Amino acid sequence: MQISVSGHHIEVTESLRTFVESKFEKLERHFDHVTDVHVVLTVEKLNQKAEATVQISGAKLFAEDTQEDMYVAIDKLVDKLDRQIIKHKEKTSSHR
């Protein structure tokens, strides 16, 4: 899995980058075919926004979350993507 982290109106520090990488490794435990993750961290006045596009085999998933703390926004973003991946995996698996 290749993770790219970029910032908009924010400098992506090493601690933010390692936090994002450790959280997004959690996505591989449900679905092995996660190929590419692009994360954009944005600061808009008092709101911290995290959005991500995840490319898995045959589909692209997108989620975003806005909070007052960037770490909380990243955490909730990963939870949203985790639910989407589980839902996608259930759709593609055979239910015989």
Side-chain angles (χ1 to χ4, degrees), residues 5 14 17-18 20 25 29 35 38 42 44 47 50 52 54 60 69 83 85 88-89 91:
V5 182
E14 192 62 36
R17 188 176 304 279
T18 56
V20 167
E25 287 175 0
R29 70 179 176 182
T35 57
H38 181 69
T42 309
E44 299 172 347
N47 292 329
V54 177
K60 278 189 179 180
D69 184 24
R83 286 192 300 265
I85 286 176
H88 176 75
K89 184 179 176 183
K91 284 183 180 179

mmCIF file of all heavy atoms in Angstrom, residues 5 14 17-18 20 25 29 35 38 42 44 47 50 52 54 60 69 83 85 88-89 91:
data_model
loop_
_atom_site.group_PDB
_atom_site.id
_atom_site.type_symbol
_atom_site.label_atom_id
_atom_site.label_comp_id
_atom_site.label_asym_id
_atom_site.label_seq_id
_atom_site.Cartn_x
_atom_site.Cartn_y
_atom_site.Cartn_z
ATOM 1 N N VAL A 5 0.786 11.788 1.590
ATOM 2 C CA VAL A 5 0.171 12.767 2.479
ATOM 3 C C VAL A 5 0.579 14.152 2.006
ATOM 4 O O VAL A 5 1.760 14.416 1.805
ATOM 5 C CB VAL A 5 0.623 12.561 3.943
ATOM 6 C CG1 VAL A 5 -0.056 13.549 4.857
ATOM 7 C CG2 VAL A 5 0.355 11.138 4.396
ATOM 8 N N GLU A 14 6.532 15.432 10.555
ATOM 9 C CA GLU A 14 6.853 14.005 10.609
ATOM 10 C C GLU A 14 5.908 13.255 11.548
ATOM 11 O O GLU A 14 5.517 12.118 11.282
ATOM 12 C CB GLU A 14 8.309 13.813 11.049
ATOM 13 C CG GLU A 14 8.809 12.406 10.869
ATOM 14 C CD GLU A 14 8.808 11.940 9.423
ATOM 15 O OE1 GLU A 14 9.079 12.764 8.525
ATOM 16 O OE2 GLU A 14 8.515 10.752 9.183
ATOM 17 N N ARG A 17 2.673 12.715 9.708
ATOM 18 C CA ARG A 17 2.857 11.694 8.678
ATOM 19 C C ARG A 17 2.878 10.286 9.279
ATOM 20 O O ARG A 17 2.232 9.373 8.773
ATOM 21 C CB ARG A 17 4.144 11.959 7.909
ATOM 22 C CG ARG A 17 4.332 11.081 6.694
ATOM 23 C CD ARG A 17 5.598 11.455 5.912
ATOM 24 N NE ARG A 17 5.632 12.846 5.502
ATOM 25 C CZ ARG A 17 5.011 13.347 4.440
ATOM 26 N NH1 ARG A 17 4.294 12.556 3.688
ATOM 27 N NH2 ARG A 17 5.113 14.617 4.127
ATOM 28 N N THR A 18 3.584 10.097 10.380
ATOM 29 C CA THR A 18 3.639 8.776 11.002
ATOM 30 C C THR A 18 2.288 8.400 11.600
ATOM 31 O O THR A 18 1.901 7.234 11.574
ATOM 32 C CB THR A 18 4.727 8.714 12.086
ATOM 33 O OG1 THR A 18 4.506 9.745 13.040
ATOM 34 C CG2 THR A 18 6.100 8.846 11.479
ATOM 35 N N VAL A 20 -0.676 9.324 10.414
ATOM 36 C CA VAL A 20 -1.522 8.943 9.271
ATOM 37 C C VAL A 20 -1.155 7.541 8.792
ATOM 38 O O VAL A 20 -2.033 6.699 8.563
ATOM 39 C CB VAL A 20 -1.383 9.977 8.126
ATOM 40 C CG1 VAL A 20 -1.992 9.450 6.844
ATOM 41 C CG2 VAL A 20 -2.036 11.285 8.513
ATOM 42 N N GLU A 25 -2.712 1.861 8.117
ATOM 43 C CA GLU A 25 -2.346 0.452 8.082
ATOM 44 C C GLU A 25 -3.476 -0.422 8.618
ATOM 45 O O GLU A 25 -3.572 -1.597 8.286
ATOM 46 C CB GLU A 25 -1.071 0.211 8.879
ATOM 47 C CG GLU A 25 0.166 0.728 8.187
ATOM 48 C CD GLU A 25 1.411 0.603 9.035
ATOM 49 O OE1 GLU A 25 1.317 0.107 10.187
ATOM 50 O OE2 GLU A 25 2.484 0.998 8.556
ATOM 51 N N ARG A 29 -6.238 -4.716 7.370
ATOM 52 C CA ARG A 29 -6.638 -5.913 8.106
ATOM 53 C C ARG A 29 -7.978 -6.452 7.627
ATOM 54 O O ARG A 29 -8.275 -7.628 7.799
ATOM 55 C CB ARG A 29 -6.664 -5.653 9.610
ATOM 56 C CG ARG A 29 -7.774 -4.747 10.036
ATOM 57 C CD ARG A 29 -7.777 -4.531 11.519
ATOM 58 N NE ARG A 29 -8.822 -3.571 11.826
ATOM 59 C CZ ARG A 29 -9.073 -3.123 13.001
ATOM 60 N NH1 ARG A 29 -8.348 -3.533 14.010
ATOM 61 N NH2 ARG A 29 -10.039 -2.266 13.206
ATOM 62 N N THR A 35 -4.457 -0.502 -2.742
ATOM 63 C CA THR A 35 -3.236 -0.240 -3.501
ATOM 64 C C THR A 35 -2.676 1.152 -3.278
ATOM 65 O O THR A 35 -1.469 1.324 -3.181
ATOM 66 C CB THR A 35 -3.487 -0.432 -5.006
ATOM 67 O OG1 THR A 35 -4.554 0.423 -5.397
ATOM 68 C CG2 THR A 35 -3.831 -1.860 -5.320
ATOM 69 N N HIS A 38 -4.369 8.473 -0.929
ATOM 70 C CA HIS A 38 -3.943 9.867 -1.039
ATOM 71 C C HIS A 38 -4.696 10.671 0.021
ATOM 72 O O HIS A 38 -5.924 10.745 -0.012
ATOM 73 C CB HIS A 38 -4.233 10.421 -2.433
ATOM 74 C CG HIS A 38 -3.785 11.829 -2.591
ATOM 75 N ND1 HIS A 38 -2.448 12.183 -2.622
ATOM 76 C CD2 HIS A 38 -4.473 12.975 -2.691
ATOM 77 C CE1 HIS A 38 -2.353 13.483 -2.754
ATOM 78 N NE2 HIS A 38 -3.574 14.002 -2.792
ATOM 79 N N THR A 42 -6.127 19.758 5.559
ATOM 80 C CA THR A 42 -6.418 21.160 5.284
ATOM 81 C C THR A 42 -6.776 21.879 6.572
ATOM 82 O O THR A 42 -7.461 21.326 7.423
ATOM 83 C CB THR A 42 -7.611 21.275 4.305
ATOM 84 O OG1 THR A 42 -7.371 20.451 3.185
ATOM 85 C CG2 THR A 42 -7.826 22.690 3.855
ATOM 86 N N GLU A 44 -8.776 25.293 7.753
ATOM 87 C CA GLU A 44 -9.673 26.376 7.354
ATOM 88 C C GLU A 44 -10.105 27.113 8.612
ATOM 89 O O GLU A 44 -11.009 26.671 9.304
ATOM 90 C CB GLU A 44 -10.891 25.821 6.628
ATOM 91 C CG GLU A 44 -10.560 25.063 5.363
ATOM 92 C CD GLU A 44 -11.765 24.362 4.779
ATOM 93 O OE1 GLU A 44 -12.799 24.247 5.471
ATOM 94 O OE2 GLU A 44 -11.674 23.922 3.626
ATOM 95 N N ASN A 47 -11.299 25.164 11.751
ATOM 96 C CA ASN A 47 -11.582 23.761 11.447
ATOM 97 C C ASN A 47 -10.384 23.080 10.812
ATOM 98 O O ASN A 47 -9.698 23.645 9.980
ATOM 99 C CB ASN A 47 -12.784 23.660 10.495
ATOM 100 C CG ASN A 47 -14.073 24.077 11.156
ATOM 101 O OD1 ASN A 47 -14.242 23.905 12.351
ATOM 102 N ND2 ASN A 47 -14.975 24.627 10.376
ATOM 103 N N ALA A 50 -9.613 16.615 7.159
ATOM 104 C CA ALA A 50 -8.829 15.527 6.577
ATOM 105 C C ALA A 50 -9.702 14.819 5.554
ATOM 106 O O ALA A 50 -10.860 14.502 5.834
ATOM 107 C CB ALA A 50 -8.394 14.550 7.656
ATOM 108 N N ALA A 52 -9.520 11.790 2.233
ATOM 109 C CA ALA A 52 -8.685 10.742 1.653
ATOM 110 C C ALA A 52 -9.409 10.058 0.507
ATOM 111 O O ALA A 52 -10.631 9.892 0.542
ATOM 112 C CB ALA A 52 -8.316 9.713 2.711
ATOM 113 N N VAL A 54 -9.047 6.451 -1.432
ATOM 114 C CA VAL A 54 -8.441 5.134 -1.333
ATOM 115 C C VAL A 54 -8.784 4.360 -2.595
ATOM 116 O O VAL A 54 -9.949 4.256 -2.962
ATOM 117 C CB VAL A 54 -8.956 4.366 -0.089
ATOM 118 C CG1 VAL A 54 -8.385 2.974 -0.043
ATOM 119 C CG2 VAL A 54 -8.634 5.126 1.172
ATOM 120 N N LYS A 60 -12.802 3.222 -6.240
ATOM 121 C CA LYS A 60 -12.192 4.317 -5.487
ATOM 122 C C LYS A 60 -13.163 4.711 -4.392
ATOM 123 O O LYS A 60 -14.349 4.887 -4.638
ATOM 124 C CB LYS A 60 -11.939 5.526 -6.384
ATOM 125 C CG LYS A 60 -10.699 5.471 -7.190
ATOM 126 C CD LYS A 60 -10.447 6.801 -7.849
ATOM 127 C CE LYS A 60 -9.169 6.758 -8.642
ATOM 128 N NZ LYS A 60 -8.894 8.033 -9.292
ATOM 129 N N ASP A 69 -9.637 19.317 16.004
ATOM 130 C CA ASP A 69 -8.299 18.763 16.171
ATOM 131 C C ASP A 69 -7.976 17.863 14.977
ATOM 132 O O ASP A 69 -8.806 17.046 14.568
ATOM 133 C CB ASP A 69 -8.233 17.958 17.469
ATOM 134 C CG ASP A 69 -6.849 17.433 17.775
ATOM 135 O OD1 ASP A 69 -5.864 18.028 17.287
ATOM 136 O OD2 ASP A 69 -6.744 16.428 18.500
ATOM 137 N N ARG A 83 -15.405 1.413 7.394
ATOM 138 C CA ARG A 83 -16.778 0.963 7.149
ATOM 139 C C ARG A 83 -17.052 0.815 5.657
ATOM 140 O O ARG A 83 -17.713 -0.136 5.222
ATOM 141 C CB ARG A 83 -17.777 1.927 7.777
ATOM 142 C CG ARG A 83 -17.849 1.829 9.289
ATOM 143 C CD ARG A 83 -19.046 2.585 9.826
ATOM 144 N NE ARG A 83 -19.006 4.003 9.486
ATOM 145 C CZ ARG A 83 -18.522 4.958 10.267
ATOM 146 N NH1 ARG A 83 -18.021 4.646 11.439
ATOM 147 N NH2 ARG A 83 -18.542 6.222 9.889
ATOM 148 N N ILE A 85 -14.868 0.136 3.279
ATOM 149 C CA ILE A 85 -14.139 -1.025 2.760
ATOM 150 C C ILE A 85 -14.856 -2.317 3.133
ATOM 151 O O ILE A 85 -14.977 -3.226 2.310
ATOM 152 C CB ILE A 85 -12.678 -1.013 3.256
ATOM 153 C CG1 ILE A 85 -11.900 0.062 2.510
ATOM 154 C CG2 ILE A 85 -12.016 -2.370 3.082
ATOM 155 C CD1 ILE A 85 -10.483 0.235 2.962
ATOM 156 N N HIS A 88 -17.808 -2.587 0.831
ATOM 157 C CA HIS A 88 -17.379 -2.949 -0.516
ATOM 158 C C HIS A 88 -16.994 -4.431 -0.588
ATOM 159 O O HIS A 88 -17.307 -5.123 -1.556
ATOM 160 C CB HIS A 88 -16.205 -2.081 -0.954
ATOM 161 C CG HIS A 88 -15.647 -2.459 -2.288
ATOM 162 N ND1 HIS A 88 -16.279 -2.148 -3.462
ATOM 163 C CD2 HIS A 88 -14.531 -3.142 -2.630
ATOM 164 C CE1 HIS A 88 -15.577 -2.617 -4.468
ATOM 165 N NE2 HIS A 88 -14.499 -3.216 -3.986
ATOM 166 N N LYS A 89 -16.329 -4.909 0.436
ATOM 167 C CA LYS A 89 -15.907 -6.315 0.461
ATOM 168 C C LYS A 89 -17.122 -7.235 0.515
ATOM 169 O O LYS A 89 -17.148 -8.275 -0.143
ATOM 170 C CB LYS A 89 -14.995 -6.557 1.671
ATOM 171 C CG LYS A 89 -14.431 -7.935 1.733
ATOM 172 C CD LYS A 89 -13.524 -8.104 2.910
ATOM 173 C CE LYS A 89 -13.031 -9.517 3.021
ATOM 174 N NZ LYS A 89 -12.196 -9.696 4.200
ATOM 175 N N LYS A 91 -20.062 -6.587 -0.728
ATOM 176 C CA LYS A 91 -20.721 -6.552 -2.033
ATOM 177 C C LYS A 91 -20.019 -7.447 -3.045
ATOM 178 O O LYS A 91 -20.669 -8.059 -3.896
ATOM 179 C CB LYS A 91 -20.748 -5.118 -2.576
ATOM 180 C CG LYS A 91 -21.762 -4.227 -1.942
ATOM 181 C CD LYS A 91 -21.720 -2.869 -2.627
ATOM 182 C CE LYS A 91 -22.722 -1.919 -2.043
ATOM 183 N NZ LYS A 91 -22.654 -0.599 -2.683
#
